[in-house]
Amino acid sequence: VGELLSGEQGGVNLARLISYRGLFYCLVARNLKIRYGGIRRMSSFGLVLTQINPVVVIVVYAWVGGQILRVQLPNYLIFLAVGHIHWTLFTSVISQACGSVYRDAPLLRVVPFPSILLCLADVVDQLMEVLVTLVLLLILFPVLGGSYHTSMLLYPLLFGFQVLFMSG
């Protein structure tokens, strides 16, 4: 990533990526439009559907862990939810970003631009969905048995490191 952003060895420098920010916004908007039906009129139904899958998976894992495996971990449900959210983000970004250059190859042939923008647009697309899930988890945190601590203020920093790692 460092070589890519610095422009060494034929890569793309950060200033060049910033010059393509309009195209980047269009790529992110296209991904969101495909998924939810548009940025301005995001389909509430589409957003709700994206939240149902993690909830069902977490409920099933919680039942298996609590009833069958008898996991005795304090705040197991919160641990499970946060882990599942981050794992889902990681796997979906990797699977989508790897296919984005192939999927949008015709666009790359017509308009010359850094192909990393396609991957970064997929990262932001998946990030939007996960941020909604994380806000819901934060709201439900006390209901699930957790309590708010000042150490939770470090979470955005760690989350940022994960996003930076995935963007590479």
Side-chain angles (χ1 to χ4, degrees):
V1 174
E3 288 179 5
L4 182 67
L5 294 179
S6 68
E8 297 172 12
Q9 297 181 0
V12 178
N13 63 26
L14 189 57
R16 185 164 179 234
L17 283 180
I18 291 172
S19 71
Y20 284 99
R21 68 183 172 274
L23 175 63
F24 176 72
Y25 294 143
C26 288
L27 290 170
V28 171
R30 179 199 63 173
N31 289 348
L32 291 173
K33 186 175 182 179
I34 289 170
R35 182 178 296 212
Y36 300 115
I39 292 179
R40 287 194 175 82
R41 56 175 192 83
M42 271 191 172
S43 167
S44 332
F45 184 66
L47 194 57
V48 167
L49 281 179
T50 61
Q51 300 307 310
I52 288 175
N53 183 32
V55 169
V56 169
V57 169
I58 290 168
V59 166
V60 168
Y61 284 168
W63 180 77
V64 168
Q67 300 297 319
I68 297 174
L69 300 176
R70 307 264 187 229
V71 174
Q72 298 298 322
L73 186 66
N75 297 326
Y76 173 67
L77 192 56
I78 295 171
F79 176 76
L80 183 65
V82 171
H84 177 72
I85 289 168
H86 284 273
W87 177 250
T88 303
L89 173 65
F90 181 75
T91 57
S92 59
V93 162
I94 296 301
S95 65
Q96 277 201 350
C98 286
S100 66
V101 176
Y102 176 75
R103 178 186 68 224
D104 292 325
L107 182 62
L108 281 170
R109 284 189 212 111
V110 175
V111 181
F113 64 92
S115 59
I116 191 171
L117 289 177
L118 298 170
C119 300
L120 291 176
D122 283 335
V123 170
V124 172
D125 174 37
Q126 293 297 319
L127 192 59
M128 296 294 187
E129 181 180 325
V130 166
L131 288 177
V132 172
T133 308
L134 286 174
V135 168
L136 290 174
L137 180 63
L138 188 63
I139 292 169
L140 294 174
F141 198 70
V143 175
L144 298 174
S147 59
Y148 298 115
H149 295 274
T150 56
S151 61
M152 292 174 71
L153 296 174
L154 291 175
Y155 181 77
L157 179 67
L158 297 174
F159 188 69
F161 282 136
Q162 179 185 5
V163 171
L164 186 65
F165 174 70
M166 289 182 310
S167 298

